[in-house]
Amino acid sequence: MKYFARKVGLLLFALFVAITINFFLPRMMPGDPASDLVDKMQGIPPEALESIKAAFGVNTEDSLIIQYGKYLVNLLKGDFGVSISRFPTPVSDVLKVAIPWSLGLMGLATIISFIIGTIIGISCAWNRNKPAATFTVGFFIFIRSFPYFWLGLLFIYLFAFKAPLFPIGGSYAPGIDRTGWTFVLSVIKHGFLPAATIIVSSMGAWILTMRNNMINVLAEDYITVALAKGLPMKRIKGLYAAKNALLPSITGFAMSLGFVVGGGLLTEMVFGYPGVGLMLFQAVQAKDYPLMQAIFLFISAAVLVANFIADVFILILDPRVRDGGK
Amino acid sequence: MLGDIFKLFFENKKAAIGFFILLFFIGIAILAPVLAPYDPKTNKIEQVEILETDRGRRKTVERETISEFEERRVYTQEETTTYEQYTKKFPLNAHPSKEHYFGTTQSGQDIFSQVLWGTRITLSVGIGTGLFTTFIALTLALLAGYFGGLVDDIISLFTNVFLVIPGLPLMIVIAAYITVKGVMPIVLILALTSWPWPTRLLRSQVVSLKNRDFVRVSKSLGEKPLYIIFNEMLPNMISLVMASFFQTTMAAIIGEATLEFLGLGNVSIVSWGTILYWAQNNGALLSGAWWWFLPPGIAIALIGTSFAMMNFAVDEISNPKLRKR
């Protein structure tokens, strides 16, 4: 339990650090980006200007500590300010629309990728002296070296432009009724290519982790004993080796979530998929700092929560952690 | 000790292939001015047409770029020969051809030349960031691992915290605030967001080395910390330091391409990332200009594979279980 409490403490502290970075970043950057922005925005309504000035500490007489306190209080109230590019919509409303799309796309794609990758990894380790396994590992090392966004571009070119099997972007056909099976089908069709991009490019990581863990386990004495006893191969592979190799793989999964989410964000940007990633891209282009900050906080929080869930899994699966050994 | 590691490294087939690919690109980066047929930013060349008057009719003998022409001028000045100087514009959005191996962009720049020149910035930013990040990570790891106590607690805490804060969004947000666009900010951003992983990896190695007998003996003999670190510990960490360098460099190359693709770098320099940025912004995909975004992407993947293979090889060398038997 002590292990668990430490983990939770760490995640909460990480959230606090993310919030603090968010606060200090625009204030510490050379060239004072926020006042630069305020100077450029002559056309926007004065009340919006005021809220931006307050949020970014431009022309304020409050000390940094008081500004920081106000910022924290606002966050606690769930007030992220007003979006500049979509004035006067509050940032939280803008986020609410984007979040379900991202969660659906990235969540599903990541789970599928992890499961398929782990299965391939197991078989690559088990058959590691066969050419097919060597080829698979090599192939995925190569695929993993492509930038996420570039693989997305390639998929768009091949499967949406050259062979128009899938739509080029968006999350569902415009103008259709948002209920019923036509809508569901449209969502699946639009989500297929982005999901495929995430699955294909992240799968290599799971394959390699699982393969290496599994090879490590296969070198253990208890596997040799099991082989000597003449236990059926299937039993050794599944129950003796894979089961024990899975645990570090799940830890690895938790650790790489940040990368996976990053890749997902890029995929959304390339496909114009209306999730948090695309919104972040648009916010950056429009210099919509309040929206940008809120998105960064949300993504950080989401990754931390996912980490927490992975920790709970480890707690359930690993007897050493569960029984409080260390 | 060191020699053994390098020998093992180059005997490994994966390492040798990876290293060869890296050398290939380093060669391109150095020789870009010689290899590139055109200036990567221009969309035209000044040419000279050599004409000969043959029975009252003028006919073209040769076309040359100005520089070639200057060299040969002495020999071709005959009475019947005349010259015409003109500017030849490159075709826009052209397929790959003999004149332009990778085709041209929408404004007529030669993509082959761009990719060759782009190797310079991409490689130097990648390797520079890799070295810088590995240096930061190694320093932190040694401080934390060797001295332990409060120093270790603080460094480890921040390492673990930044490990769970997603790097890409942080990178994008920092880049968005930066008003000065250039190569140095990119290096700093990449280093700032990628140090935790190697730090954690190296720290655990330092901790395990600290408790080995030979280090303990050194300590009890009264050797100074710096001596122990440089003479006893570092030589035993070479493979992990190399692995960290390969990983961070690979991440930096992809990270740089990503930031530039999103338009967060300096879009007026020529690198693989900015080529992709211009391709995307000019709708290369939907006008079918595959030659515009394919070469830089494949180049990035090749370089990435090269570092991944060397990293894999180091893994195999230091972890004998992974080796084929």
Side-chain angles (χ1 to χ4, degrees):
Chain A
M1 238 30 227
K2 203 179 159 197
Y3 164 87
F4 196 62
R6 272 186 69 150
K7 279 278 180 185
V8 173
L10 181 79
L11 293 181
L12 285 176
F13 185 67
L15 187 65
F16 170 74
V17 171
I19 290 171
T20 311
I21 291 177
N22 230 347
F23 173 80
F24 281 103
L25 212 49
R27 289 174 170 78
M28 279 172 34
M29 276 296 162
D32 202 354
S35 32
D36 208 41
L37 179 71
V38 171
D39 289 344
K40 274 185 208 149
M41 287 198 312
Q42 298 306 334
I44 84 154
E47 61 267 36
L49 206 58
E50 279 313 309
S51 89
I52 293 159
K53 280 182 180 170
F56 290 92
V58 179
N59 297 338
T60 170
E61 278 156 19
D62 294 344
S63 72
L64 214 54
I65 307 276
I66 294 180
Q67 286 182 43
Y68 186 50
K70 281 184 180 167
Y71 174 75
L72 288 182
V73 170
N74 278 341
L75 280 189
L76 280 179
K77 282 193 280 186
D79 177 9
F80 294 94
V82 175
S83 161
I84 299 172
S85 57
R86 292 158 206 245
F87 188 81
T89 323
V91 166
S92 45
D93 287 1
V94 181
L95 259 177
K96 258 180 223 155
V97 183
I99 288 173
W101 291 112
S102 284
L103 278 184
L105 176 68
M106 290 189 215
L108 222 61
T110 308
I111 292 170
I112 294 174
S113 169
F114 182 70
I115 293 174
I116 300 179
T118 303
I119 293 173
I120 297 180
I122 292 174
S123 114
C124 277
W126 191 250
N127 304 305
R128 70 175 149 146
N129 290 329
K130 291 187 186 156
T134 316
F135 174 77
T136 312
V137 171
F139 177 74
F140 276 99
I141 290 183
F142 184 58
I143 292 286
R144 209 157 64 109
S145 310
F146 284 107
Y148 255 95
F149 65 87
W150 190 84
L151 216 59
L153 293 178
L154 186 70
F155 278 7
I156 294 177
Y157 178 76
L158 290 178
F159 305 117
F161 176 76
K162 271 278 149 184
L165 302 169
F166 296 99
I168 281 158
S171 57
Y172 60 92
I176 65 165
D177 196 13
R178 286 188 64 162
T179 49
W181 286 108
T182 24
F183 178 66
V184 174
L185 274 177
S186 179
V187 168
I188 292 175
K189 215 175 163 189
H190 281 76
F192 189 86
L193 274 190
T197 307
I198 299 176
I199 292 173
V200 169
S201 35
S202 60
M203 199 155 71
W206 315 137
I207 293 179
L208 286 180
T209 334
M210 191 61 192
R211 172 188 176 271
N212 288 1
N213 292 338
M214 179 92 172
I215 287 178
N216 273 325
V217 171
L218 284 177
E220 297 283 349
D221 289 340
Y222 62 82
I223 299 286
T224 320
V225 173
L227 284 168
K229 276 202 291 190
L231 289 180
M233 283 301 180
K234 233 181 163 175
R235 194 178 151 89
I236 299 177
K237 182 179 170 187
L239 222 58
Y240 280 60
K243 200 179 157 199
N244 287 304
L246 197 60
L247 206 62
S249 215
I250 292 178
T251 320
F253 179 75
M255 305 286 289
S256 0
L257 269 175
F259 294 101
V260 175
V261 169
L265 299 176
L266 284 172
T267 308
E268 286 184 3
M269 294 175 194
V270 169
F271 281 92
Y273 200 82
V276 181
L278 183 67
M279 200 139 285
L280 176 63
F281 182 58
Q282 289 168 345
V284 166
Q285 287 203 314
K287 291 201 178 294
D288 188 345
Y289 292 147
L291 183 56
M292 202 171 84
Q293 289 204 324
I295 292 172
F296 172 66
L297 268 192
F298 168 74
I299 297 169
S300 302
V303 169
L304 296 177
V305 170
N307 253 290
F308 173 74
I309 296 173
D311 279 337
V312 172
F313 260 99
I314 292 167
L315 189 72
I316 296 170
L317 292 174
D318 192 339
R320 286 166 301 185
V321 178
R322 189 180 52 213
D323 303 336
K326 262 191 182 176
Chain B
M1 182 76 213
L2 261 175
D4 286 352
I5 289 175
F6 285 114
K7 199 174 153 235
L8 274 172
F9 184 71
F10 286 107
E11 272 172 0
N12 187 301
K13 213 165 60 184
K14 289 193 188 89
I17 297 175
F19 190 72
F20 177 75
I21 301 176
L22 178 63
L23 269 191
F24 173 74
F25 278 104
I26 290 178
I28 288 182
I30 294 171
L31 297 175
V34 187
L35 295 173
Y38 311 104
D39 179 334
K41 287 182 182 175
T42 189
N43 58 357
K44 58 182 187 292
I45 42 168
E46 301 289 320
Q47 271 194 329
V48 172
E49 202 169 345
I50 303 170
L51 303 151
E52 221 163 60
T53 315
D54 180 25
R55 272 162 279 165
R57 258 200 228 147
R58 298 204 317 163
K59 104 183 173 210
T60 307
V61 180
E62 243 182 306
R63 286 198 185 84
E64 288 181 346
T65 58
I66 290 275
S67 57
E68 286 166 14
F69 175 72
E70 297 288 338
E71 281 166 24
R72 289 190 25 181
R73 186 165 214 167
V74 197
Y75 310 104
T76 48
Q77 264 185 351
E78 290 158 31
E79 272 177 42
T80 48
T81 317
T82 50
Y83 316 99
E84 235 164 62
Q85 186 179 337
Y86 64 99
T87 307
K88 186 190 169 198
K89 286 218 159 141
F90 295 157
L92 309 181
N93 232 343
H95 275 265
S97 63
K98 254 191 286 175
E99 283 83 37
H100 304 283
Y101 300 132
F102 291 172
T104 62
T105 69
Q106 204 171 43
S107 46
Q109 294 141 327
D110 181 56
I111 294 171
F112 183 64
S113 304
Q114 290 195 329
V115 172
L116 292 187
W117 276 97
T119 314
R120 288 196 154 186
I121 289 185
T122 305
L123 260 195
S124 48
V125 168
I127 293 177
T129 311
L131 286 174
F132 186 44
T133 312
T134 309
F135 176 75
I136 298 175
L138 186 58
T139 313
L140 289 175
L142 285 170
L143 280 176
Y146 188 84
F147 294 105
L150 189 64
V151 184
D152 187 19
D153 286 345
I154 293 173
I155 293 178
S156 293
L157 176 65
F158 278 94
T159 310
N160 289 332
V161 161
F162 277 93
L163 218 48
V164 281
I165 293 178
L168 185 89
L170 182 59
M171 234 157 68
I172 292 177
V173 169
I174 300 177
Y177 281 127
I178 286 185
T179 38
V180 207
K181 304 283 183 209
V183 172
M184 266 330 270
I186 294 232
V187 172
L188 287 179
I189 294 172
L190 291 172
L192 213 70
T193 48
S194 58
W195 62 269
W197 191 253
T199 304
R200 185 188 161 107
L201 210 68
L202 290 168
R203 182 195 157 272
S204 55
Q205 172 93 343
V206 174
V207 169
S208 105
L209 280 176
K210 204 178 86 172
N211 295 320
R212 300 274 176 84
D213 288 341
F214 64 96
V215 175
R216 284 195 173 163
V217 168
S218 256
K219 247 186 179 169
S220 58
L221 286 175
E223 297 288 5
K224 295 216 166 64
L226 276 183
Y227 176 86
I228 298 177
I229 287 174
F230 281 102
N231 291 296
E232 307 280 4
M233 297 173 85
L234 271 183
N236 286 298
M237 293 175 66
I238 292 289
S239 63
L240 209 58
V241 173
M242 274 164 77
S244 303
F245 169 68
F246 294 147
Q247 281 172 18
T248 45
T249 306
M250 184 183 164
I253 287 175
I254 293 186
E256 181 210 1
T258 306
L259 285 181
E260 281 172 344
F261 171 70
L262 296 177
L264 292 169
N266 180 353
V267 293
S268 63
I269 57 174
V270 178
S271 74
W272 294 344
T274 53
I275 299 176
L276 289 169
Y277 168 81
W278 289 114
Q280 172 77 349
N281 277 302
N282 287 308
L285 270 182
L286 303 180
S287 60
W290 52 267
W291 55 86
W292 200 348
F293 69 88
L294 222 53
I298 290 176
I300 294 171
L302 277 176
I303 263 287
T305 311
S306 130
F307 281 108
M309 285 174 98
M310 289 191 279
N311 181 36
F312 218 66
V314 171
D315 241 15
E316 281 185 354
I317 292 165
S318 52
N319 184 357
K321 281 182 196 166
L322 290 176
R323 258 181 260 172
K324 270 187 197 160
R325 275 172 295 188

